[in-house]
Amino acid sequence: MSDTPQPAPLLDDDALDLLDDFLDSERVDADALDLIGAHGFLVALAVAPSDVPPASWVAELFHGEPAFADDNERETILGLLEQLRRNAIAALEQGLLPELPFELTLDGLAPEETPIGDWCAGFMEGVFLDEAAWFEDDEEAAATLLLPFMALSGLFDEEPDMAEFTADTVRLEALVSQLPELVLDLYLHYRVPPETPKPTPRKKKPAGRGGKGGRRR
């Protein structure tokens, strides 16, 4: 049996369908994130090393204020989005993998032509909300851990180094299959302190004599 934990769903199908219908409706700005992008965005907020105020991430996700039918619908939709974020935190805190709402394969397509690219682009939008916090403590390690999400998002294709990285389709396919594990790795990076070698106890020296502290002459 594999030691890899089974992915944990972050919302049930009915809740995802409700969000999908709302985010795809005309009452939401055309530039707002769709369900796949919003899922990646909220998972990034669950991983993030610092909390982003709800007012900030809601405005970014919707690109403004949606035309909610009434207060009840507003409460329902915002509640489901917050529940997804909190469920992601709970799963990651237990060492579980988040279940992603798509098949983990590119099937020969470019990432940006698949839900995988949309999800990773949404994830990176979540990073951009407080980018400094993600890179504050260990910029090199954070950049390494975020590289797969950046590569699969399609947002950095114009950068020469990224073009070379994404040209390796076998590597990209491998990264896609590992996405849930990569999310957990990022979460742990920000919450598990790095191991440091234990300090070697100093050898006790005989107490010196006289007023000079036993310093040798």
Side-chain angles (χ1 to χ4, degrees), residues 27-52:
R27 289 179 292 147
V28 176
D29 189 281
D31 291 328
L33 296 175
D34 62 8
L35 176 66
I36 299 295
H39 194 287
F41 179 81
L42 291 164
V43 169
L45 295 183
V47 172
S50 61
D51 285 335
V52 176

Short mmCIF file of all heavy atoms in Angstrom, two decimals, residues 27-52:
data_model
loop_
_atom_site.label_atom_id
_atom_site.label_comp_id
_atom_site.label_asym_id
_atom_site.label_seq_id
_atom_site.Cartn_x
_atom_site.Cartn_y
_atom_site.Cartn_z
N ARG A 27 -23.99 38.14 -13.40
CA ARG A 27 -23.98 39.01 -12.23
C ARG A 27 -22.57 39.19 -11.66
O ARG A 27 -22.37 39.92 -10.69
CB ARG A 27 -24.92 38.46 -11.16
CG ARG A 27 -26.38 38.61 -11.56
CD ARG A 27 -27.32 38.05 -10.53
NE ARG A 27 -27.24 36.61 -10.43
CZ ARG A 27 -27.41 35.93 -9.31
NH1 ARG A 27 -27.64 36.56 -8.18
NH2 ARG A 27 -27.36 34.62 -9.30
N VAL A 28 -21.62 38.50 -12.27
CA VAL A 28 -20.23 38.59 -11.84
C VAL A 28 -19.42 39.24 -12.96
O VAL A 28 -19.67 38.99 -14.15
CB VAL A 28 -19.67 37.18 -11.53
CG1 VAL A 28 -18.20 37.23 -11.18
CG2 VAL A 28 -20.46 36.55 -10.39
N ASP A 29 -18.46 40.08 -12.60
CA ASP A 29 -17.61 40.75 -13.59
C ASP A 29 -16.96 39.74 -14.53
O ASP A 29 -16.56 38.66 -14.11
CB ASP A 29 -16.53 41.55 -12.86
CG ASP A 29 -15.74 42.45 -13.79
OD1 ASP A 29 -14.84 41.94 -14.48
OD2 ASP A 29 -16.02 43.66 -13.81
N ALA A 30 -16.84 40.11 -15.79
CA ALA A 30 -16.27 39.20 -16.79
C ALA A 30 -14.83 38.81 -16.48
O ALA A 30 -14.35 37.76 -16.91
CB ALA A 30 -16.35 39.84 -18.17
N ASP A 31 -14.13 39.65 -15.72
CA ASP A 31 -12.73 39.36 -15.38
C ASP A 31 -12.59 38.62 -14.05
O ASP A 31 -11.47 38.34 -13.62
CB ASP A 31 -11.93 40.67 -15.30
CG ASP A 31 -11.76 41.32 -16.67
OD1 ASP A 31 -11.68 40.58 -17.67
OD2 ASP A 31 -11.72 42.57 -16.73
N ALA A 32 -13.70 38.30 -13.40
CA ALA A 32 -13.62 37.57 -12.13
C ALA A 32 -13.13 36.15 -12.39
O ALA A 32 -13.20 35.63 -13.52
CB ALA A 32 -15.00 37.52 -11.48
N LEU A 33 -12.61 35.53 -11.36
CA LEU A 33 -12.13 34.16 -11.48
C LEU A 33 -13.32 33.21 -11.64
O LEU A 33 -14.37 33.40 -11.03
CB LEU A 33 -11.33 33.77 -10.24
CG LEU A 33 -10.04 34.55 -9.99
CD1 LEU A 33 -9.41 34.14 -8.66
CD2 LEU A 33 -9.05 34.35 -11.12
N ASP A 34 -13.13 32.19 -12.48
CA ASP A 34 -14.16 31.15 -12.57
C ASP A 34 -13.94 30.14 -11.45
O ASP A 34 -13.08 30.34 -10.58
CB ASP A 34 -14.13 30.48 -13.95
CG ASP A 34 -12.82 29.77 -14.25
OD1 ASP A 34 -11.96 29.65 -13.33
OD2 ASP A 34 -12.63 29.32 -15.40
N LEU A 35 -14.73 29.06 -11.44
CA LEU A 35 -14.64 28.11 -10.33
C LEU A 35 -13.24 27.53 -10.18
O LEU A 35 -12.69 27.46 -9.07
CB LEU A 35 -15.64 26.97 -10.52
CG LEU A 35 -15.56 25.87 -9.46
CD1 LEU A 35 -15.96 26.41 -8.10
CD2 LEU A 35 -16.43 24.68 -9.84
N ILE A 36 -12.63 27.13 -11.31
CA ILE A 36 -11.30 26.52 -11.24
C ILE A 36 -10.27 27.51 -10.73
O ILE A 36 -9.46 27.21 -9.84
CB ILE A 36 -10.88 25.98 -12.63
CG1 ILE A 36 -11.85 24.92 -13.12
CG2 ILE A 36 -9.46 25.43 -12.57
CD1 ILE A 36 -11.89 23.66 -12.29
N GLY A 37 -10.29 28.73 -11.27
CA GLY A 37 -9.35 29.75 -10.82
C GLY A 37 -9.58 30.13 -9.37
O GLY A 37 -8.62 30.32 -8.61
N ALA A 38 -10.86 30.23 -8.97
CA ALA A 38 -11.17 30.58 -7.58
C ALA A 38 -10.69 29.48 -6.63
O ALA A 38 -10.22 29.77 -5.53
CB ALA A 38 -12.68 30.79 -7.43
N HIS A 39 -10.81 28.22 -7.05
CA HIS A 39 -10.34 27.11 -6.23
C HIS A 39 -8.83 27.24 -5.99
O HIS A 39 -8.36 27.14 -4.85
CB HIS A 39 -10.66 25.79 -6.95
CG HIS A 39 -10.54 24.57 -6.11
ND1 HIS A 39 -9.31 24.05 -5.73
CD2 HIS A 39 -11.47 23.73 -5.57
CE1 HIS A 39 -9.50 22.96 -5.00
NE2 HIS A 39 -10.80 22.73 -4.89
N GLY A 40 -8.06 27.47 -7.04
CA GLY A 40 -6.62 27.65 -6.89
C GLY A 40 -6.28 28.87 -6.04
O GLY A 40 -5.38 28.83 -5.19
N PHE A 41 -7.02 29.95 -6.23
CA PHE A 41 -6.84 31.19 -5.49
C PHE A 41 -7.02 30.95 -3.99
O PHE A 41 -6.20 31.37 -3.17
CB PHE A 41 -7.85 32.20 -6.02
CG PHE A 41 -7.83 33.55 -5.37
CD1 PHE A 41 -6.90 34.52 -5.75
CD2 PHE A 41 -8.77 33.89 -4.41
CE1 PHE A 41 -6.91 35.79 -5.18
CE2 PHE A 41 -8.78 35.15 -3.82
CZ PHE A 41 -7.84 36.10 -4.21
N LEU A 42 -8.09 30.24 -3.63
CA LEU A 42 -8.39 30.01 -2.22
C LEU A 42 -7.44 29.01 -1.58
O LEU A 42 -7.12 29.12 -0.39
CB LEU A 42 -9.84 29.56 -2.08
CG LEU A 42 -10.86 30.66 -2.41
CD1 LEU A 42 -12.25 30.07 -2.64
CD2 LEU A 42 -10.91 31.72 -1.32
N VAL A 43 -6.97 28.04 -2.35
CA VAL A 43 -5.97 27.12 -1.83
C VAL A 43 -4.66 27.88 -1.55
O VAL A 43 -3.99 27.64 -0.54
CB VAL A 43 -5.73 25.94 -2.80
CG1 VAL A 43 -4.51 25.12 -2.38
CG2 VAL A 43 -6.96 25.03 -2.84
N ALA A 44 -4.33 28.82 -2.42
CA ALA A 44 -3.14 29.65 -2.17
C ALA A 44 -3.31 30.45 -0.89
O ALA A 44 -2.36 30.59 -0.10
CB ALA A 44 -2.89 30.59 -3.35
N LEU A 45 -4.51 30.97 -0.64
CA LEU A 45 -4.75 31.72 0.59
C LEU A 45 -4.63 30.81 1.81
O LEU A 45 -4.24 31.25 2.89
CB LEU A 45 -6.12 32.37 0.56
CG LEU A 45 -6.35 33.46 -0.50
CD1 LEU A 45 -7.74 34.06 -0.35
CD2 LEU A 45 -5.29 34.55 -0.41
N ALA A 46 -4.99 29.53 1.65
CA ALA A 46 -4.84 28.57 2.74
C ALA A 46 -3.38 28.29 3.03
O ALA A 46 -2.98 28.08 4.17
CB ALA A 46 -5.57 27.28 2.39
N VAL A 47 -2.56 28.29 2.00
CA VAL A 47 -1.12 28.02 2.13
C VAL A 47 -0.37 29.25 2.62
O VAL A 47 0.63 29.14 3.32
CB VAL A 47 -0.54 27.56 0.77
CG1 VAL A 47 0.98 27.48 0.83
CG2 VAL A 47 -1.13 26.22 0.36
N ALA A 48 -0.86 30.43 2.27
CA ALA A 48 -0.14 31.69 2.47
C ALA A 48 0.44 31.84 3.88
O ALA A 48 -0.21 31.47 4.87
CB ALA A 48 -1.07 32.87 2.18
N PRO A 49 1.65 32.37 3.99
CA PRO A 49 2.29 32.52 5.30
C PRO A 49 1.67 33.61 6.16
O PRO A 49 1.95 33.70 7.35
CB PRO A 49 3.74 32.87 4.94
CG PRO A 49 3.66 33.45 3.57
CD PRO A 49 2.54 32.76 2.88
N SER A 50 0.83 34.46 5.56
CA SER A 50 0.16 35.51 6.33
C SER A 50 -1.30 35.59 5.90
O SER A 50 -1.64 35.27 4.75
CB SER A 50 0.84 36.87 6.11
OG SER A 50 0.77 37.24 4.74
N ASP A 51 -2.16 35.98 6.82
CA ASP A 51 -3.59 36.08 6.52
C ASP A 51 -3.87 37.34 5.71
O ASP A 51 -3.35 38.42 6.00
CB ASP A 51 -4.41 36.12 7.81
CG ASP A 51 -4.50 34.76 8.48
OD1 ASP A 51 -4.38 33.74 7.77
OD2 ASP A 51 -4.68 34.72 9.71
N VAL A 52 -4.70 37.17 4.67
CA VAL A 52 -5.14 38.30 3.86
C VAL A 52 -6.56 38.65 4.32
O VAL A 52 -7.41 37.76 4.43
CB VAL A 52 -5.14 37.94 2.37
CG1 VAL A 52 -5.68 39.09 1.54
CG2 VAL A 52 -3.73 37.58 1.91
#
